[in-house]
Amino acid sequence: MRLRCAVLDDFQRIATSVADWSPVADRVEVVSFAERFSDEDALAEALAGFDIVVTLRERVPFPGSLLARLPRLKLLIASGMRNSVIDYAAAEAHGVTVCGTTSSSTPPVELTWALLLGLARGIVTESNALRDGGPWQSTVGADLHGRRLGLLGLGKVGGRVARVGLAFGMEVTAWSRNLTEERADEVGVERAASLEELLTSSDFVSVHLALGDRTRGLVGARELALLKPTAYLVNTSRAAIVDQDALLTALHEGRIAGAGVDVFDVEPLPAGHPMRTAPRLLATPHLGYVSHANYATYYGEAVEDIQAYLAGEPVRRLG
């Protein structure tokens, strides 16, 4: 009897075509799910008959309560090599091996700039007007050259975003609690003395921090109030770093020029969610990691993880 493998959140239904699953085809039956499960009960019911689960990034939590309801599960594969929503101790207690895959920082860097440029030049507004018979030129673009780009986080993604900003001729500054002068000098940017200094001085602010206890809610109503009314905020990192209600209020009241958001507290967004209709908001459905090359890596290495597990020598173990 073949093992059964569930692939979660395969919204585009490409998991089985973007990578070669033939090396495990004789031993593993792969079933992909394009729908999002509403709660833990629905997820537990759907996954009850599977031995292997492949999950994307940190989209689906695997707490101990869920793992306890999946006695057949033996291998859990998460894309990326860091996952904060898997209970590793519970996985070990229930005999579940957890493995990861590599992940490229290129797609989120590119999407960050797509959002930032889209906001600065009113791309969606102007394109829609042109297609729908609206006014010919209704916006005045915000310049990048000579303006200040403030980065919250200067890690792998933030560092690459910084270098693009420098290529545009922007002044780039960065801040995080752990940022050193040495790292800022390495990238060629200025280290802000504080979060407040970065927010008050920047024309564009982009979030590139990992979500944790110290970053959850880092940018709230007080912090948003520090931004210039002409400033733009971009978040392709994690939704919980920016207070969603405070951001909606700032957008509706015109306190900032606009925001580009790729991450949300609830995903997929419900049909009537206020983020779908907020003014001054350029929003995308969590596309930061969604690229052909990244998917090929995720699912190609998931196949490798399954092969290694079946051979009794798991690779890229997490936890």
Side-chain angles (χ1 to χ4, degrees):
M1 181 181 295
R2 291 193 299 170
L3 301 176
R4 302 190 74 219
C5 172
V7 179
L8 299 180
D9 290 341
D10 186 16
F11 298 123
Q12 300 94 343
R13 294 194 178 279
I14 63 167
T16 55
S17 62
V18 76
D20 180 12
W21 292 76
S22 63
V24 298
D26 60 333
R27 299 186 62 183
V28 178
E29 174 194 2
V30 180
V31 179
S32 70
F33 292 90
E35 70 272 24
R36 179 74 167 170
F37 297 101
S38 58
D39 53 33
E40 185 176 302
D41 289 340
L43 189 61
E45 181 179 356
L47 299 181
F50 289 92
D51 310 277
I52 304 167
V53 172
V54 179
T55 182
L56 272 178
R57 307 301 293 158
E58 297 169 312
R59 300 185 66 88
V60 179
F62 279 84
S65 57
L66 174 59
L67 293 167
R69 301 170 69 178
L70 302 174
R72 185 167 164 175
L73 181 63
K74 296 303 176 187
L75 176 62
L76 176 59
I77 300 171
S79 57
M81 291 301 295
R82 179 175 60 191
N83 194 299
S84 63
V85 298
I86 295 174
D87 187 332
Y88 295 109
E92 183 177 3
H94 290 286
V96 179
T97 299
V98 184
C99 297
T101 73
T102 55
S103 180
S104 172
S105 63
T106 298
V109 170
E110 293 174 350
L111 184 70
T112 295
W113 279 102
L115 289 172
L116 195 152
L117 288 165
L119 286 167
R121 300 306 298 268
I123 298 298
V124 174
T125 299
E126 296 289 2
S127 176
N128 288 343
L130 186 146
R131 295 171 64 89
D132 298 337
W136 182 263
Q137 300 180 354
S138 61
T139 64
V140 178
D143 298 287
L144 301 188
H145 190 277
R147 306 291 291 282
R148 172 160 289 199
L149 171 64
L151 300 175
L152 296 181
L154 197 63
K156 186 164 58 173
V157 174
R160 295 183 66 179
V161 170
R163 293 185 175 98
V164 176
L166 292 170
F168 272 115
M170 302 183 79
E171 298 178 4
V172 183
T173 184
W175 176 88
S176 72
R177 289 188 174 94
N178 299 322
L179 181 61
T180 63
E181 289 285 359
E182 290 75 17
R183 172 58 179 167
D185 290 343
E186 176 188 347
V187 179
V189 306
E190 177 184 342
R191 183 173 74 93
S194 65
L195 172 61
E196 290 75 13
E197 178 187 292
L198 181 138
L199 294 174
T200 56
S201 65
S202 296
D203 300 295
F204 299 86
V205 174
S206 190
V207 181
H208 302 288
L209 294 165
L211 179 61
D213 292 339
R214 296 200 302 171
T215 59
R216 188 179 300 275
L218 179 70
V219 180
R222 184 186 76 87
E223 289 74 24
L224 289 169
L226 297 176
L227 291 170
K228 302 174 184 179
T230 55
Y232 296 89
L233 174 71
V234 175
N235 185 9
T236 58
S237 183
R238 291 292 182 267
I241 296 172
V242 179
D243 185 299
Q244 303 291 280
D245 291 336
L247 177 58
L248 282 168
T249 298
L251 291 170
H252 278 283
E253 296 182 357
R255 296 182 190 173
I256 59 176
V261 174
D262 185 50
V263 287
F264 308 91
D265 284 343
V266 180
E267 296 183 4
L269 278 179
H273 196 285
M275 278 290 193
R276 288 185 178 269
T277 55
R280 304 176 181 85
L281 178 66
L282 177 56
T284 48
H286 205 155
L287 299 178
Y289 62 91
V290 180
S291 76
H292 189 279
N294 230 17
Y295 270 13
T297 297
Y298 289 168
Y299 295 120
E301 292 192 2
V303 173
E304 294 175 3
D305 288 348
I306 294 171
Q307 285 182 284
Y309 174 80
L310 295 176
E313 299 179 352
V315 295
R316 293 186 285 266
R317 296 191 68 164
L318 303 180

